[in-house]
Amino acid sequence: MPSLTRDEALHRADLLSVTRMEVDLDLDRGAETFGSRTRIHLTASGTGATFIDCKPVTLHSATLDGEPLDIDGLIEGRLPLPVTTGEHVVEVEATMGFSHDGEGLHRATDPADGEDYVFSHLFLDAAPAVFACVDQPDIKAPYTVTVTAPAEWKVIGNGAATTSETGVWHLSETKPLSTYFVALCAGPYVSVLDEHDGIELGLWARASMAGQLEEHADEMLAVTRASFDYFHSIFGIRYPFDDYDQVFVPEFNAGAMENPGCVVLRDSYLFRGAVGRDELLTRANTISHEMAHMWFGDLVSPQWWDDLWLNESFAEYMAHRCLVEATDYSEAWIDSTMSRKSWGYSAERKPSTHPVAGSPAPDAKSALANFDGISYAKGAAVIRQLIEFIGDDAFLTGIRDYLTAHSFGNGTLADFLRAMEEASGRELDGWSRAWLETAGVDAVEVARMAGTVSRTAPGAYPADRPHVFDIATYDGGVETSRVDLTLEGSQAPVPGVDLEAPLVLPNAGDRTWATPVLDEQSLDSLRGQLPLLSDAQARAVIWVGLRDGVATARVDPRLLVDLGEAALVTEDNDSIFSRAGMHLTGRVIRVLLPDAEQPAARARMARVGEKVLAAAEPGSSRALHAARLVARTTDDVEGRLVPWSQGRDLPTGLEGDVDFRWILLGQLSRRGVIGAAEIDRALEEDRTMTGQLGALTARAAIPTVEAKGEAWADLTTNRERSNHELVAISAGFWGPEDLSLVEPYVERYFIEVPLMTQWLGEDALSRVAAMNYPSRFVNEGTLALSRACLAREDLQQGVRRQMVDAQSELEEALASRTAFPG
């Protein structure tokens, strides 16, 4: 189907405004389809031809002011609509299809009890698969929604829900919404209800997860209440919508979606086993992030998709700020460095890098491709630099003015900059061009002999970005000096810096968006200095800087393995330990090191895990992460993997943890120790959706020719598989110790995965394409196949983007192995 272009959107917005939407949905027609009736109240500014967006299974009727429209004219989701000046009502009746790929109106069956659950995910252009509409972000309207559902179901949406004796649910009329924010969740959901500051709060989940919901409700509600209080205090505008429901749904593609009054989150956040503090922090951050969207994105929405940063960058920044200032997660910025900024820096290294704002988005699908770590993490870092530039008081004043001026409407980069300029009295055009409108990340480096710090912009994206940051020095893990500075040119002196210290670290406080490049003396000192370093933020900056160093073939990946062995045994920050450990095992060892060196490096990480596990407080978050590291890396089948998988000799806190057991079963399956029969028995003991996914991963990992053939066929031809099931199969497929088992599928990947676009939505297929890229085959043959595939003109846009990015990582691996052959 064609993607709406910006020119088409501008033309349609000039011609039409929608004043009210009435949507009636009938979800009681079985598991495959549902009924959809829409009344669109609109006003035309003149006479002209335009179209309504509608993607039905069957279009039954359509009228304009009671007169039939030609339903045979519906082509590729567009129903022609001729209008004359004045007010009109368009009515459309259709049968729509439930999806299984996480887009539109998704329906999933819970294997624990056989119950079905429905949720909507209409971002970016999936709304027409649920109801007819004028689908673009700058055409907002109030919605009234009615839903017919099975008698035992609950219905949750943007407006407060009530039900009549006939079983029809009525959702109260909303404030003006963009189409992609309309939300509907339906099924036998269970809830925990509360109230705060006059706002009704609801937490919802599948019936089979009632215990987990109740267990985690107090923590999640505490974060919710704190976030409301904090955002009310700094935005100066009360929460602008109805009740505030957070619905944890199965098989959700993203982390969460900020539908006004009805936030949808993936239900894996309702942890069913042992959980680390960093995982609780991640969930708290997601809760606060989605609430920040009630103002940034929902109250004020982007006029077009090139300004998505006005949603995501601000929610990213505000959530971390809120956690640090209003909750006990004071380490949130450290977690941001390890998890979010590393993601953003990786996006900057890829050919698909783009500016934070003003990225070319000629159509909606192009904008979706830029929904990445730049829009989130870099945007948040740039906001921190803006605050350094104009001051926090001016920033908050500008925010309030921007939100007030555009409430229930749309905003643009120009609108935002105007508000900031008026609040601060500073001209921001040059600052915006450098920071928001130009791609690329600068590198900052201290020259000891010269006593200077330099800034190097990427050659492909030159810009004069002013940086406000700090430089700190360390000896024996103790800080010996710290200097704040503003670097406006390419170089500046650094008076007051202890340049004799073993370790000199630019951007030690991680206040700016820049890669710290360590001088040779500092790099050489890390084996001794990093294990002693008491500054957790500095440790995070070093790890992320090294991540960039190995990716660009400036740093030998063996150094990271050495540092993992030396420094992770003393690491007491969950985010650093878990993220650095995952990067070491999943990227550095698995891909960057030559194949022959990988077993020994994994064994070293297993010893780290064992040491930390032995020293950690039993049942602590640190012990949990250590046990997971052991499970991922150990070759001790009889002493660790088998007894742990059988529930024997488990570390404290992991007794009965079925998620941990599936990690172990996956490792045993990958080694050929267990097979399908053992996996089936484990699934019988864990008849849940998570158990089903664990079993799919374990089966795909079985190291036989027959099992790999079955898994590949299941992945690429089974049209009944959900989005999450496909990802689960992908997670197990490429992991055998004997790579010859999967080598035949390298070429098949480039042929068969793109064909899945015939039945799988773009968001879901993009994730499958990324998960399945044969990254372990670091050779010129894989690169040649990849380049040949990307030369095709028929690749789906999202798949192309994922392959381009994965190919760039393959090229990084080849460059690293060439630079550091061993």
Side-chain angles (χ1 to χ4, degrees):
M1 292 184 179
S3 181
L4 182 71
T5 68
R6 182 165 195 167
D7 289 343
E8 289 171 331
L10 288 170
H11 175 266
R12 193 159 59 166
D14 285 342
L15 182 61
L16 299 180
S17 60
V18 177
T19 56
R20 191 164 186 263
M21 291 284 294
E22 301 172 43
V23 178
D24 301 325
L25 301 176
D26 184 356
L27 308 186
D28 201 13
R29 296 186 179 183
E32 299 302 321
T33 61
F34 60 94
S36 174
R37 180 188 292 271
T38 311
R39 285 169 293 282
I40 307 171
H41 299 259
L42 56 84
T43 301
S45 62
T47 298
T50 183
F51 58 91
I52 296 293
D53 299 291
C54 187
K55 302 174 183 177
V57 174
T58 305
L59 179 58
H60 301 295
S61 66
T63 63
L64 173 63
D65 301 326
E67 296 297 320
L69 292 169
D70 180 14
I71 61 175
D72 291 333
L74 179 70
I75 298 175
E76 295 188 307
R78 296 181 174 188
L79 180 65
L81 181 70
V83 294
T84 57
T85 304
E87 297 181 354
H88 302 279
V89 177
V90 177
E91 295 191 56
V92 178
E93 184 173 0
T95 295
M96 302 289 190
F98 289 111
S99 81
H100 300 286
D101 60 9
E103 301 176 41
L105 199 58
H106 182 98
R107 186 167 181 143
T109 301
D110 187 346
D113 54 17
E115 296 286 359
D116 279 10
Y117 292 86
V118 166
F119 68 86
S120 64
H121 184 53
L122 306 189
F123 182 81
L124 176 121
D125 60 356
V130 179
F131 53 87
C133 56
V134 182
D135 189 32
Q136 56 190 75
D138 58 335
I139 295 186
K140 289 185 162 185
Y143 281 77
T144 58
V145 178
T146 64
V147 180
T148 301
E152 66 276 13
W153 282 19
K154 301 289 176 57
V155 172
I156 313 107
N158 303 104
T162 58
T163 184
S164 66
E165 294 180 358
T166 60
V168 176
W169 291 78
H170 297 265
L171 305 181
S172 61
E173 184 169 288
T174 70
K175 299 292 187 180
L177 304 179
S178 299
T179 47
Y180 75 99
F181 284 135
V182 177
L184 175 67
C185 300
Y189 286 97
V190 295
S191 63
V192 173
L193 304 178
D194 197 10
E195 181 274 339
H196 179 68
D197 195 15
I199 303 166
E200 298 294 327
L201 307 178
L203 302 173
W204 302 79
R206 287 179 280 138
S208 65
M209 303 183 76
Q212 293 156 248
L213 181 67
E214 292 173 2
E215 177 186 351
H216 291 279
D218 287 347
E219 154 79 8
M220 296 188 295
L221 287 170
V223 174
T224 300
R225 290 190 290 265
S227 298
F228 265 128
D229 291 344
Y230 185 73
F231 292 142
H232 283 158
S233 73
I234 65 171
F235 294 154
I237 299 173
R238 277 189 58 80
Y239 170 63
F241 300 103
D242 210 326
D243 301 347
Y244 195 74
D245 291 303
Q246 297 174 83
V247 189
F248 294 85
V249 303
E251 301 181 342
F252 193 59
N253 279 338
M257 179 64 197
E258 66 270 19
N259 309 306
C262 184
V263 174
V264 172
L265 306 95
R266 61 167 58 209
D267 61 12
S268 57
Y269 281 130
L270 296 178
F271 308 107
R272 64 176 187 162
V275 56
R277 179 175 171 85
D278 63 315
E279 294 168 303
L280 293 174
L281 188 158
T282 297
R283 183 177 67 189
N285 184 273
T286 301
I287 288 171
S288 193
H289 178 110
E290 302 311 319
M291 189 185 294
H293 273 309
M294 298 299 119
W295 289 265
F296 288 95
D298 298 4
L299 177 63
V300 182
S301 307
Q303 184 170 312
W304 183 243
W305 302 115
D306 56 352
D307 272 323
L308 264 176
W309 78 283
L310 286 168
N311 293 14
E312 298 305 341
S313 300
F314 282 86
E316 180 87 0
Y317 168 75
M318 291 297 176
H320 284 88
R321 177 170 175 157
C322 174
L323 291 193
V324 169
E325 297 188 13
T327 76
D328 68 345
Y329 292 110
S330 57
E331 73 273 31
W333 285 120
I334 300 169
D335 182 76
S336 172
T337 301
M338 292 302 298
S339 64
R340 310 298 285 180
K341 292 189 81 169
S342 60
W343 173 37
Y345 288 145
S346 175
E348 286 272 48
R349 293 193 299 268
K350 293 178 170 57
S352 56
T353 186
H354 57 86
V356 173
S359 264
D363 58 63
K365 293 295 187 186
S366 299
L368 183 61
N370 290 334
F371 206 67
D372 57 18
I374 294 171
S375 304
Y376 286 78
K378 182 180 181 179
V382 170
I383 290 171
R384 295 183 78 181
Q385 282 294 292
L386 175 63
I387 293 170
E388 298 276 8
F389 192 66
I390 68 173
D392 195 53
D393 289 344
F395 172 73
L396 292 178
T397 298
I399 288 299
R400 296 181 191 119
D401 292 345
Y402 169 77
L403 292 173
T404 300
H406 302 283
S407 289
F408 302 111
N410 300 84
T412 65
L413 170 62
D415 296 328
F416 169 76
L417 291 176
R418 188 179 306 114
M420 291 296 129
E421 288 179 334
E422 291 175 357
S424 67
R426 302 195 68 167
E427 184 273 326
L428 292 174
D429 282 351
W431 184 93
S432 176
R433 283 193 299 273
W435 271 115
L436 290 172
E437 300 168 64
T438 305
V441 57
D442 294 344
V444 289
E445 182 175 9
V446 173
R448 291 178 186 257
M449 293 297 292
T452 60
V453 61
S454 62
R455 175 189 66 85
T456 305
Y461 304 101
D464 292 325
R465 281 177 276 263
H467 291 266
V468 180
F469 64 107
D470 55 3
I471 300 171
T473 61
Y474 304 90
D475 189 355
V478 177
E479 182 179 311
T480 62
S481 68
R482 185 180 293 262
V483 174
D484 295 332
L485 71 154
T486 299
L487 180 59
E488 294 183 328
S490 60
Q491 186 173 290
V494 286
V497 174
D498 177 14
L499 297 178
E500 299 300 318
L503 174 59
V504 178
L505 181 60
N507 197 28
D510 202 18
R511 291 159 57 189
T512 192
W513 183 259
T515 301
V517 177
L518 297 183
D519 64 278
E520 287 300 320
Q521 183 179 339
S522 295
L523 201 62
D524 290 342
S525 78
L526 287 180
R527 290 178 179 86
Q529 293 294 321
L530 186 57
L532 303 175
L533 192 58
S534 60
D535 184 343
Q537 183 63 77
R539 297 197 303 272
V541 168
I542 289 170
W543 276 112
V544 172
L546 290 171
R547 185 170 181 156
D548 189 81
V550 295
T552 55
R554 289 184 290 105
V555 174
D556 190 332
R558 296 169 187 84
L559 173 62
L560 271 72
V561 179
D562 290 347
L563 293 174
E565 189 171 41
L568 290 186
V569 293
T570 61
E571 183 55 64
D572 60 4
N573 180 279
D574 272 10
S575 298
I576 298 175
F577 184 91
S578 62
R579 306 288 180 174
M582 289 295 290
H583 179 241
L584 280 166
T585 58
R587 175 68 177 167
V588 174
I589 296 174
R590 190 171 188 261
V591 177
L592 299 183
L593 286 184
D595 295 351
E597 297 182 33
Q598 293 178 15
R602 275 195 304 273
R604 293 170 70 184
M605 291 304 101
R607 288 195 292 271
V608 169
E610 292 283 9
K611 288 180 182 178
V612 174
L613 182 59
E617 180 183 349
S620 67
S621 181
R622 190 163 182 256
L624 166 64
H625 286 302
R628 289 175 179 169
L629 179 59
V630 171
R632 293 198 311 270
T633 57
T634 187
D635 286 325
D636 187 359
V637 172
E638 296 303 323
R640 279 293 186 236
L641 295 180
V642 168
W644 280 4
S645 72
Q646 295 173 350
R648 295 185 286 113
D649 304 324
L650 278 165
T652 301
L654 287 170
E655 303 90 350
D657 189 327
V658 287
D659 290 336
F660 185 65
R661 187 187 185 205
W662 281 114
I663 295 174
L664 299 164
L665 292 174
Q667 291 298 324
L668 290 170
S669 173
R670 184 175 71 84
R671 290 169 168 79
V673 178
I674 65 171
E678 292 89 346
I679 295 167
D680 288 343
R681 283 197 293 271
L683 181 58
E684 284 299 319
E685 298 170 9
D686 184 23
R687 276 287 174 192
T688 65
M689 195 167 285
T690 306
Q692 202 167 57
L693 298 177
L696 284 172
T697 298
R699 282 198 193 97
I702 295 172
T704 66
V705 172
E706 295 76 17
K708 292 303 179 185
E710 291 172 4
W712 188 258
D714 197 13
L715 174 74
T716 57
T717 65
N718 187 348
R719 301 191 178 197
E720 301 303 313
R721 287 292 183 201
S722 73
N723 50 332
H724 274 217
E725 289 173 334
L726 294 173
V727 169
I729 295 169
S730 305
F733 184 80
W734 293 98
E737 295 176 334
D738 179 3
L739 284 177
S740 67
L741 283 169
V742 290
E743 189 170 11
Y745 296 94
V746 174
E747 184 173 6
R748 293 181 65 176
Y749 164 87
F750 295 105
I751 297 170
E752 296 173 35
V753 168
L755 295 177
M756 296 169 67
T757 188
Q758 297 172 19
W759 68 90
L760 196 61
E762 185 161 359
D763 192 14
L765 182 55
S766 295
R767 295 169 195 274
V768 171
M771 281 288 294
N772 271 286
Y773 193 90
S775 58
R776 292 186 69 194
F777 290 85
V778 183
N779 56 60
E780 293 294 336
T782 308
L783 183 58
L785 288 169
S786 185
R787 287 172 173 168
C789 184
L790 288 172
R792 292 167 46 180
E793 296 182 357
D794 61 340
L795 283 184
Q796 188 186 65
Q797 192 166 359
V799 173
R800 178 179 298 279
R801 168 65 179 266
Q802 294 297 335
M803 286 190 180
V804 165
D805 288 351
Q807 179 179 293
S808 74
E809 292 188 347
L810 173 62
E811 291 168 339
E812 288 177 353
L814 285 166
S816 177
R817 291 193 181 190
T818 299
F820 304 103

